C-alpha cells in the first residue's frame, strides 16, 4: 500500500497525506481530486511515500486522477516548491496559480463515479477546448461541375494548402461550411477538426523580417551569451543598453541560437502593453510557433497555450510576470526585459519577484538568464559590479540618432502661461511657455509628442478653502479623484464612487476647489490650446487589457499627434514619430515614503525620455520640476546612469538598505484599528526578541500605521525587519507560523524582499 503527499490550495504551509487506491499509479506533478474538510478539492501530488506519517491513524484515499499526465514536469515542480519555501507561501496556492484550468472531462468522470453529487462542484474553473475545422488536400484536376462559390473556395485551399473555416467565413460568409462539406462529398478536399488556440495578439498577419546587421557591441553581447548557451554552463547576464540601443535584437539572436540547439526560450515583459508589440516582433522572426501568456487572455486561450507548451508543441513563450511558470521543455534562455520594473513583483497572494525567480529557474536548468534594461535596478547593477552577474553594455543607440537633449524647467521660477486653460491649480500652472512653444513647433513640423503625467483623472483632490478639509474616501485614507467625463469622484484603491459634491461636508461652505492636475484635465487643456491637433490619452481609465495596443497602434499609424499618459507611456514602446517628450511633474514620485523613490524617479524619467528621437528626426525632452537640483533628476537629464548609481549606492550603504542587507515587510490589517495595532505588536515581538536583534544583526522598524493607514475599510499596520539572511529567515518563519495559527478577524502577511513600501 502506498501514500502520496498532496498540496491543496488552502492558506496553510503544509501538505496532506492520502492513500493511493488499488490500481491507481501516481507520481509527483499529478493533479488529483481529494476529500478535504467536508469538501472536494483538486490538489497536486508533491511526493510519494511507502508509509503514512508517524502517529497518523486514519488516512483518506485519493478520489480520482484528474489528468493522465502530470501537470508539472519534475524540474518545474521542484522549482515551484523552492519558490514557495523562499517566499513562505503555501505550496498548494502556488501550484494552483501556476497550473492550467481543470479539465471538464475529468470532472464529468468524477461525477459519474459518485465522488461529486448532484450540482456539487470541485474548486477551480473547468475550461473546455476550442476546436476548428480545417480544409486541406485540395485536388487540382477537377472533372465535375462546380458553382462559383465552390470554385472560389477550392482555389483558395489549393493556393494556401490549408485554410481554417473561420477565415473562409470572413471571406465567403456563413455558408462556407456547407460549401466545404459539398466539396468534401465530391472528394475534392479533406476536412479535419482540431484543437486551436485563440489569442487576439496572434490574429493579425505578420510579414517575416530580415535580421538587421548587428553593431559591434551587440555582436559581442550575443557571442558571450551564445558561448554560455552552447556550453550549457548557465549564468546570469545584465544587458545594460541605453534606450533604443537594440536590446530586443540581441534577445532575438540569442533565442535563435537556443532554438538551433533544440532548447526552449522565455521572454518576460513587465506590462501587457509591451506583450503584443514584442509578440509581433517575435512572430516576424520565428513565425507563429509562439505562446503569448498575459492577463488579457481568457481562461480558454491561456489554457490552450499552457498545454501546448507542456506537450512540447511550442518551445517559445512571451508574457508578463506569471509566464515565468510556463512548462517549457529544455529551457535554454530566460529574458527579463525592463528588469527594473516594479510590476515584476507580485503584491498580493504569492508575493514573488519574477526577476529573482527567473535567475533561480535558469540556474536550476543550466539555462542563461538575461536581465535587460536601460535603467537597471540598483540591486541588479550591484550584483554585476560584484561579479554575480556578467555585465554587457550597449552604450549607443542602434540608429544614427543620439540620445535626445533634455531641458529642465524650474517650476518655482516660471509663471503660468497666459494662454493656458484650466481651473486654479491645474493645467494653467503646469503648461509653461517653453513647453507650449515646443509643442507648437513639434506639431508645425508634423511630428508627434508625448506628455507624461503620472496622475489619472481630472484633478487628484478637492479641498475646502474655508476649513481646509479634503474630500476623502470613506473606506480608505486617501482623497477622492474627480473624473469629470464620468461626472463622479473615484477612489483609485477600492473603486468607491460618489457624485461630485457642491458644498463641503465638514463645514457646509460652498468653497470646494480642485487641487492638482490629472491626465484628463491635461488632455482637455491641450485640445483647447491646439484645436487642430489630434490628442489622445493612455491611462487605466481609457485603455485596459487588449485596448492598450489599440491606442498605441493609432499613435504608430500617425492618427494621434499628442499622447497624454501615465507611466504606461514610459515603457519600452518603439514610436519612431515621437520627437518631443514633456514631463509635467518630474519630481512627483520623489514624495513617496519609500527608500527607492529616487531610483523610481530616475527610471521613469530616463525611460520616458527614451521615447523621443527613435526615428529619423532628433528628439527633444523637457522636464518640468520643483526640484531641478535633485540628483535623480540631474542624472536623468544627462542620461548618466552610472552617476545616479554611485550616488544611490553610497546613500544605501550608509543606511544598510538593499543591496547591503535583506528585508522583510510584515503587514497587518483588521476592521478595528486597536486590533490591527495589537496584532502587529505581537508579531513584531518575534523579531525584537530574536538574539540577532540584541546583537544588532537585525533591525526592526515599527510597527506603525502604513502610509495608507486605512484601505477598503480595514486599518493597516506594518513593520520592517532588516539584516542578514540567516536570522532574517528564522524570524520570518516564526512570524509565518504565528499567522498560520490564526489571528481572529485580523489578517497578516510576510513579504520577503518587498518592493512596495505602501
Amino acid at each position: 500500500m502506498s501514500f502520496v503527499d498532496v498540496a491543496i490550495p488552502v492558506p496553510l504551509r503544509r501538505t496532506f497525506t492520502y492513500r493511493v487506491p488499488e490500481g491507481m499509479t501516481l507520481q509527483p506533478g499529478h493533479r488529483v481530486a481529494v476529500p478535504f474538510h467536508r469538501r472536494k478539492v483538486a490538489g497536486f501530488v508533491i511526493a510519494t511515500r511507502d508509509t503514512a506519517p508517524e502517529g497518523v491513524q486514519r488516512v483518506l484515499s485519493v478520489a480520482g486522477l484528474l489528468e493522465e499526465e502530470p501537470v508539472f514536469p519534475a524540474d518545474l515542480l521542484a522549482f515551484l516548491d523552492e519558490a514557495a519555501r523562499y517566499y513562505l507561501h503555501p505550496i498548494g496556492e502556488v501550484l494552483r496559480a501556476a497550473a492550467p484550468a481543470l479539465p471538464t472531462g475529468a470532472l464529468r468522470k468524477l461525477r459519474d463515479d459518485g465522488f461529486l453529487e448532484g450540482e456539487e462542484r470541485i474548486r477551480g474553473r473547468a475550461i473546455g477546448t476550442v476546436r476548428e475545422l480545417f480544409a486541406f488536400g485540395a485536388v487540382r484536376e477537377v472533372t465535375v461541375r462546380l458553382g462559383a462559390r465552390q470554385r472560389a473556395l477550392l482555389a483558395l485551399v489549393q493556393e494556401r494548402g490549408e485554410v481554417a473555416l473561420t477565415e473562409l467565413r470572413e471571406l465567403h460568409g456563413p455558408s462556407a461550411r456547407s460549401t466545404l462539406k459539398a466539396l468534401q462529398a465530391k472528394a475534392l478536399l479533406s476536412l479535419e477538426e482540431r484543437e486551436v488556440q485563440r489569442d487576439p495578439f496572434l490574429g493579425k498577419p505578420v510579414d517575416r523580417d530580415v535580421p538587421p546587421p548587428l553593431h559591434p557591441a551587440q555582436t559581442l553581447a550575443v557571442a558571450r551569451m551564445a558561448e554560455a548557451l552552447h556550453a550549457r554552463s548557465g549564468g546570469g547576464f545584465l544587458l545594460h543598453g541605453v534606450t533604443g540601443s537594440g536590446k530586443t535584437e540581441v534577445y532575438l539572436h540569442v533565442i535563435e541560437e537556443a532554438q538551433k540547439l533544440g532548447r526552449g526560450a522565455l521572454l518576460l515583459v513587465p506590462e501587457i502593453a509591451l506583450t503584443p508589440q514584442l509578440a509581433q516582433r517575435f512572430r516576424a522572426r520565428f513565425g507563429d510557433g509562439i505562446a503569448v501568456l498575459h492577463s488579457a487572455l481568457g481562461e480558454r486561450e491561456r489554457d490552450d497555450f499552457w498545454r501546448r507548451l507542456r506537450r512540447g508543441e511550442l518551445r517559445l513563450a512571451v508574457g508578463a510576470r506569471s509566464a515565468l511558470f510556463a512548462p517549457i521543455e529544455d529551457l535554454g534562455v530566460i529574458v527579463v526585459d525592463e528588469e527594473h520594473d516594479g510590476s515584476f513583483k507580485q503584491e498580493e497572494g504569492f508575493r514573488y519577484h519574477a526577476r529573482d525567480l527567473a535567475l533561480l529557474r535558469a540556474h536550476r536548468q543550466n539555462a542563461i538568464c538575461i536581465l535587460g534594461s536601460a535603467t537597471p535596478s540598483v540591486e541588479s547593477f550591484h550584483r554585476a559590479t560584484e561579479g554575480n552577474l556578467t555585465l554587457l553594455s550597449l552604450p549607443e543607440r542602434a540608429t544614427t540618432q543620439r540620445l535626445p537633449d533634455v531641458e529642465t524647467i524650474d517650476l518655482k521660477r516660471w509663471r503660468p502661461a497666459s494662454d493656458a486653460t484650466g481651473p486654479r491649480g491645474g493645467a494653467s500652472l503646469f503648461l509653461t511657455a517653453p513647453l507650449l512653444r515646443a509643442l507648437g513647433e513639434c506639431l508645425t513640423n508634423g511630428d508627434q509628442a508625448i506628455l507624461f503625467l503620472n496622475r489619472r483623472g481630472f484633478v487628484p483632490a478637492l479641498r475646502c478653502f474655508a476649513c481646509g478639509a479634503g474630500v476623502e474616501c470613506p473606506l480608505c485614507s486617501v482623497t477622492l479623484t474627480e473624473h469629470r467625463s464620468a461626472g463622479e469622484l473615484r477612489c483609485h484603491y477600492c473603486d468607491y464612487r460618489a457624485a461630485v459634491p457642491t458644498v463641503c461636508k465638514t463645514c457646509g461652505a460652498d468653497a470646494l476647489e480642485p487641487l492638482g492636475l490629472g491626465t484628463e484635465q491635461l488632455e482637455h487643456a491641450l485640445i483647447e490650446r491646439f484645436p487642430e491637433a489630434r490628442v489622445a490619452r493612455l491611462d487605466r481609465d481609457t485603455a485596459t487589457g487588449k485596448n492598450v495596443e489599440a491606442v498605441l497602434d493609432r499613435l504608430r499609424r500617425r492618427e494621434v499627434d499628442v499622447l497624454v499618459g501615465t507611466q504606461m507611456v514610459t515603457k519600452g514602446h518603439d514610436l519612431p514619430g515621437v520627437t518631443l517628450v514633456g514631463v509635467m511633474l518630474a519630481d512627483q514620485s520623489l514624495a513617496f515614503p519609500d527608500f527607492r523613490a529616487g531610483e523610481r524617479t530616475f527610471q521613469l524619467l530616463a525611460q520616458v525620455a527614451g521615447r523621443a528621437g527613435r526615428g529619423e528626426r532628433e528628439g527633444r525632452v523637457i522636464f518640468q520640476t520643483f526640484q531641478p537640483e535633485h540628483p535623480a533628476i540631474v542624472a536623468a537629464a544627462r542620461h548618466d546612469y552610472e552617476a545616479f548609481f554611485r550616488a544611490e549606492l553610497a546613500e544605501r550603504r550608509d543606511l544598510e538598505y538593499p543591496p547591503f542587507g535583506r528585508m522583510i515587510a510584515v503587514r497587518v490589517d483588521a476592521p478595528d484599528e486597536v486590533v490591527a495595532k495589537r496584532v502587529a505588536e505581537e508579531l513584531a515581538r518575534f523579531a525584537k526578541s530574536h538574539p540577532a536583534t540584541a546583537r544588532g544583526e537585525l533591525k526592526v522598524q515599527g510597527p506603525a500605521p502604513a502610509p495608507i493607514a486605512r484601505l477598503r475599510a480595514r486599518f493597516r499596520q506594518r513593520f520592517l525587519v532588516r539584516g542578514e539572511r540567516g536570522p532574517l529567515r528564522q524570524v520570518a518563519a516564526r512570524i509565518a507560523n504565528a499567522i498560520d495559527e490564526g489571528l481572529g478577524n485580523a489578517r497578516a502577511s510576510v513579504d520577503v524582499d518587498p518592493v512596495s513600501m505602501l
Side-chain angles (χ1 to χ4, degrees):
M1 186 176 297
S2 61
F3 301 85
V4 288
D5 291 334
V6 177
I8 295 174
V10 293
L12 296 174
R13 296 171 178 83
R14 53 163 296 192
T15 58
F16 300 85
T17 302
Y18 289 85
R19 179 180 287 109
V20 180
E22 187 175 348
M24 182 183 294
T25 302
L26 297 177
Q27 64 186 81
H30 267 132
R31 178 153 46 185
V32 293
V34 294
F36 179 77
H37 198 60
R38 301 191 185 94
R39 293 179 296 164
K40 282 70 180 263
V41 299
F44 300 90
V45 176
I46 295 295
T48 60
R49 56 167 65 227
D50 295 328
T51 60
E54 185 178 352
V56 175
Q57 301 297 323
R58 181 170 175 261
V59 181
L60 299 176
S61 293
V62 171
L65 181 61
L66 289 171
E67 290 159 279
E68 291 299 323
E69 294 294 323
V71 174
F72 298 107
D75 57 350
L76 181 55
L77 182 64
F79 163 69
L80 290 168
D81 182 52
E82 185 172 353
R85 285 187 281 109
Y86 180 79
Y87 288 104
L88 300 171
H89 198 75
I91 179 62
E93 292 188 343
V94 171
L95 296 181
R96 181 177 60 179
L102 296 168
T104 53
L107 297 181
R108 193 178 304 114
K109 182 177 184 301
L110 288 174
R111 198 175 300 279
D112 293 341
D113 292 344
F115 180 66
L116 295 177
E117 302 174 0
E119 297 300 315
E120 188 180 15
R121 297 180 61 82
I122 199 167
R123 289 187 64 185
R125 284 174 287 182
I127 304 296
T129 57
V130 177
R131 303 187 71 82
E132 174 71 281
L133 190 67
F134 289 87
F136 63 97
V139 174
R140 297 199 172 270
E141 292 187 12
V142 180
T143 58
V144 295
R145 186 173 181 179
L146 300 176
R149 187 181 299 276
Q150 290 178 328
R151 288 197 303 272
L153 262 68
L154 185 64
L156 185 59
V157 178
Q158 288 172 339
E159 177 187 351
R160 299 275 191 87
E162 180 176 286
V163 186
L165 174 60
T166 302
E167 183 178 355
L168 292 174
R169 277 179 172 157
E170 291 178 358
L171 297 173
H172 298 282
S175 63
R177 186 185 188 94
S178 59
T179 305
L180 288 178
K181 291 288 188 181
L183 292 170
Q184 182 189 38
K186 295 176 181 179
L188 296 177
L189 52 73
S190 299
L191 298 177
E192 182 181 3
E193 193 176 62
R194 308 174 197 149
E195 289 185 19
V196 295
Q197 61 189 43
R198 305 285 191 198
D199 184 356
F201 296 157
L202 297 184
K204 303 175 185 177
V206 174
D207 295 330
R208 297 299 290 269
D209 73 346
V210 177
L214 299 178
H215 57 68
Q218 287 176 312
T219 302
L220 176 62
V222 170
R224 292 287 301 277
M225 290 185 277
E227 181 182 357
L229 191 61
H230 281 263
R232 282 187 172 264
S233 58
F237 295 86
L238 178 60
L239 184 63
H240 177 209
V242 299
T243 54
S245 60
K247 292 184 290 294
T248 303
E249 194 59 42
V250 172
Y251 305 155
L252 290 166
H253 276 74
V254 176
I255 289 172
E256 187 175 11
E257 285 295 315
Q259 290 194 330
K260 289 177 183 177
L261 296 171
R263 304 189 71 182
L266 171 62
L267 170 69
L268 299 180
V269 294
E271 290 277 352
I272 185 177
L274 294 177
T275 309
Q277 176 183 322
L278 283 171
Q280 304 293 41
R281 182 101 178 254
F282 273 59
R283 286 178 65 208
R285 186 66 55 88
F286 300 118
D288 286 337
I290 175 176
V292 184
L293 304 168
H294 50 83
S295 59
L297 284 182
E299 289 279 358
R300 188 187 305 276
E301 292 89 352
R302 190 176 183 86
D303 185 62
D304 284 343
F305 278 134
W306 203 97
R307 294 184 184 281
R308 293 188 67 194
L309 287 167
R310 179 70 180 93
R311 293 193 295 262
E313 296 173 9
L314 299 176
R315 305 291 292 275
L316 171 59
V318 176
R321 183 176 57 220
S322 61
L324 174 67
F325 308 127
I328 300 171
E329 188 176 337
D330 192 13
L331 188 57
V333 179
I334 304 176
V335 178
V336 184
D337 191 32
E338 309 293 353
E339 66 86 29
H340 66 275
D341 199 287
S343 60
F344 279 122
K345 173 72 172 182
Q346 170 72 27
E347 295 293 352
E348 297 290 338
F350 178 30
R351 292 175 170 82
Y352 66 93
H353 201 305
R355 177 197 64 211
D356 297 340
L357 286 187
L359 289 165
L360 173 64
R361 188 173 182 188
H363 171 73
R364 294 182 66 95
Q365 298 194 233
N366 291 324
I368 65 170
C369 183
I370 308 170
L371 309 182
S373 177
T375 56
S377 64
V378 170
E379 288 91 334
S380 293
F381 203 80
H382 183 255
R383 287 179 188 172
T385 60
E386 295 290 300
N388 297 318
L389 294 173
T390 300
L391 179 62
L392 300 171
S393 297
L394 304 179
E396 297 179 354
R397 283 189 159 180
T399 63
T400 56
Q401 294 294 354
R402 60 184 178 84
L403 289 169
D405 292 328
V406 179
E407 177 185 357
T408 301
I409 295 175
D410 186 350
L411 287 173
K412 298 190 299 293
R413 301 178 60 187
W414 280 97
R415 292 180 177 274
S418 59
D419 52 359
T421 61
R424 184 169 73 184
S428 59
L429 281 177
F430 302 112
L431 280 173
T432 63
L435 179 58
L436 288 171
R437 282 197 301 270
L439 267 173
E441 293 171 6
C442 175
L443 296 173
T444 299
N445 294 333
D447 294 328
Q448 296 172 294
I450 289 176
L451 292 189
F452 167 56
L453 174 64
N454 208 21
R455 183 79 71 185
R456 59 191 176 104
F458 197 85
V459 289
L462 294 177
R463 186 170 299 280
C464 177
F465 275 71
C467 69
V471 182
E472 293 193 347
C473 174
L475 304 176
C476 308
S477 55
V478 297
T479 56
L480 292 172
T481 299
E482 181 185 357
H483 289 257
R484 190 159 295 183
S485 58
E488 64 185 14
L489 298 178
R490 190 180 303 167
C491 175
H492 289 170
Y493 290 90
C494 72
D495 206 33
Y496 170 86
R497 297 170 188 235
V500 180
T502 56
V503 297
C504 175
K505 289 185 178 180
T506 301
C507 70
D510 181 12
L512 290 176
E513 291 282 351
L515 289 179
L517 175 66
T519 51
E520 184 184 345
Q521 183 188 160
L522 180 58
E523 178 190 27
H524 290 181
L526 290 171
I527 290 172
E528 290 190 26
R529 180 63 179 79
F530 301 100
E532 302 301 320
R534 296 165 296 179
V535 182
R537 178 159 48 99
L538 182 62
D539 56 28
R540 297 297 180 192
D541 298 319
T542 61
T544 58
K546 304 170 188 176
N547 298 330
V548 174
E549 184 64 9
V551 177
L552 294 171
D553 275 344
R554 288 178 57 208
L555 193 68
R556 295 187 187 102
R557 293 195 302 265
R558 297 297 188 102
E559 296 173 5
V560 172
D561 299 314
V562 182
L563 180 66
V564 174
T566 57
Q567 62 180 346
M568 297 172 74
V569 304
T570 70
K571 311 299 181 181
H573 309 300
D574 192 11
L575 306 167
V578 173
T579 60
L580 174 66
V581 167
V583 181
M584 305 305 294
L585 285 165
D587 51 86
Q588 187 178 35
S589 54
L590 290 173
F592 275 76
D594 189 336
F595 73 91
R596 291 190 178 95
E599 178 181 8
R600 290 203 180 101
T601 299
F602 173 83
Q603 290 165 343
L604 278 172
L605 296 180
Q607 290 287 338
V608 74
R611 300 315 106 203
R614 296 169 74 100
E616 296 179 357
R617 298 171 67 88
E618 287 192 359
R620 180 183 179 187
V621 179
I622 295 176
F623 290 167
Q624 297 189 153
T625 174
F626 288 102
Q627 301 181 61
E629 70 289 343
H630 193 282
I633 294 174
V634 172
R638 295 174 178 170
H639 306 291
D640 193 343
Y641 173 82
E642 293 196 12
F644 161 77
F645 173 75
R646 289 191 298 270
E648 184 73 10
L649 201 67
E651 187 172 326
R652 294 199 193 177
R653 183 182 286 109
D654 292 341
L655 298 173
E656 297 182 358
Y657 277 117
F660 299 105
R662 299 270 182 166
M663 178 188 297
I664 63 168
V666 180
R667 301 183 179 92
V668 177
D669 63 82
D672 184 87
E673 186 175 10
V674 174
V675 172
K677 183 177 181 180
R678 175 179 56 79
V679 172
E681 289 174 346
E682 289 175 357
L683 295 178
R685 274 198 287 272
F686 287 111
K688 293 178 179 178
S689 62
H690 193 282
T693 306
R695 295 193 300 266
E697 297 170 6
L698 288 181
K699 294 184 179 179
V700 183
Q701 294 175 240
I708 301 177
R710 191 166 181 251
L711 193 64
R712 301 180 185 92
R714 296 181 71 91
F715 292 91
R716 307 170 71 236
Q717 293 269 327
R718 67 154 197 190
F719 62 91
L720 304 176
V721 187
R722 297 187 285 128
E724 295 298 321
R725 179 172 182 173
L728 195 62
R729 295 289 298 173
Q730 295 171 11
V731 164
R734 288 189 64 190
I735 294 172
N737 290 335
I739 293 171
D740 287 348
E741 292 174 3
L743 303 173
N745 63 355
R747 300 181 305 207
S749 64
V750 179
D751 189 355
V752 179
D753 302 333
V755 170
S756 172
M757 295 292 108
L758 296 180

